[in-house]
Amino acid sequence: MASPFPGMDPYLEEATHWPAFQHELVASLYRSVLPSLIDRYRAQIESRSYTSEMPLFTSVIQEEHTEEYMTICSRVDGRVVTCIEVVSP
């Protein structure tokens, strides 16, 4: 039987599984990119946290989210050259 959701994996994109998958994917990207960086650049994994609010009748539901991403910076001046993110569903 064909998937009812073409182009997505409902199991993987479930909120309970996504953070672990995102962490592993960003870590794998970091390990893949690191050997190809020359001495002028450095890579690091960073994270950001935010709270989303969703109104529900007479109350507001708040959810805390944490996302990881990788930045590649210049060693000379610390300027960010690129940012690699794995977009959450």
Side-chain angles (χ1 to χ4, degrees):
M1 180 172 130
S3 171
F5 308 105
M8 69 175 277
D9 183 349
Y11 174 79
L12 178 62
E13 296 178 18
E14 184 179 335
T16 56
H17 301 298
W18 180 255
F21 175 78
Q22 184 184 38
H23 169 76
E24 290 299 323
L25 184 55
V26 171
S28 294
L29 290 170
Y30 175 80
R31 287 190 299 270
S32 297
V33 168
L34 200 58
S36 63
L37 296 178
I38 53 178
D39 293 337
R40 296 184 308 187
Y41 303 106
R42 63 178 169 79
Q44 59 189 22
I45 296 176
E46 299 181 21
S47 66
R48 68 172 149 271
S49 298
Y50 63 93
T51 304
S52 65
E53 296 181 348
M54 182 172 48
L56 181 65
F57 301 110
T58 59
S59 62
V60 175
I61 297 175
Q62 293 185 340
E63 293 181 342
E64 184 71 25
H65 302 277
T66 302
E67 297 177 344
E68 292 185 349
Y69 58 97
M70 180 176 61
T71 57
I72 298 176
C73 301
S74 170
R75 286 189 186 269
V76 175
D77 57 3
R79 183 177 49 93
V80 174
V81 175
T82 191
C83 179
I84 301 171
E85 299 184 50
V86 178
V87 180
S88 60

